[in-house]
Amino acid sequence: GEPSRSALGLRLLARVGTKDDAAVVVTTTESAERTVETFEGLSSAANRPSIGLVDTISEQQSVSARYDAIPVVYTPSSGDLERLMMALSEIAGQFAPSPGDRHLLVRSLTPLLESASTARVCSVLDRVAGFRSEAGLTMIGLDYTAIDAETMATVTESVDGILWATQGSSDGIDLTYRPARARHARQVKN
């Protein structure tokens, strides 16, 4: 299902990020306000990374809040990949240099894939990976039930691995990590 419902990306960020880290979070299915509420509920402010948001879904999309405690840049829609790239650059520039890592989280890639070609989205993925630091993580949520096998295979070529999340037998989530062999094979050849 929709990855933002389980907040898995935000949970991972809260778990692996430190107070010295920073993260750029792209919202494509939930508002910046809702994303911040969810993230703040996952860990104490003293232990979690600082975040900046690119919001592609909220109504007040013409008024960015770059200088708030949590900076937010709005774009007109999740399908406007050029403005998304500009917003990512703008929000990444808001972070002061820090000793920690810089992470990137796209809460759900599904709306981008629904409004732009897979090739364009993958091109953006390859470019936005540069927003994280060398040791930082790039986390991308994707509802694999909403895309076809060819799209999944193409997206897989742009990532290092896939964390499969499925509903467990109880109320929990079962997680399985699988390296993306195609990408690793390509890196070994170079």
Side-chain angles (χ1 to χ4, degrees), residues 78-81 110-122 124 151:
S78 57
D80 191 340
L81 299 180
T110 309
L112 279 72
L113 289 166
E114 291 171 346
S115 57
S117 73
T118 304
R120 283 190 67 220
V121 172
C122 287
V124 168
T151 300

Side-chain angles (χ1 to χ4, degrees), residues 6-7 28 39 48 50 53 71 80 95 104 110 148 151 153 164 170 176 178 187:
S6 66
T28 58
F39 187 64
R48 68 176 168 254
S50 59
L53 294 151
D80 191 340
F95 292 113
L104 173 66
T110 309
D148 60 35
T151 300
W164 294 96
S170 62
T176 305
R178 293 192 184 120
Q187 289 179 343

Side-chain angles (χ1 to χ4, degrees), residues 20 25 27 36-37 40 61 72-73 77 86 93 117 138 149 158 160:
D20 293 330
V25 179
T27 66
V36 169
E37 287 172 11
E40 288 178 344
Q61 294 177 354
V72 181
V73 174
S77 75
M86 290 174 19
S117 73
T138 298
S158 294
D160 293 321

Side-chain angles (χ1 to χ4, degrees), residues 43-58:
S43 65
S44 71
N47 297 323
R48 68 176 168 254
S50 59
I51 62 171
L53 294 151
V54 175
D55 185 335
T56 66
I57 200 76
S58 293

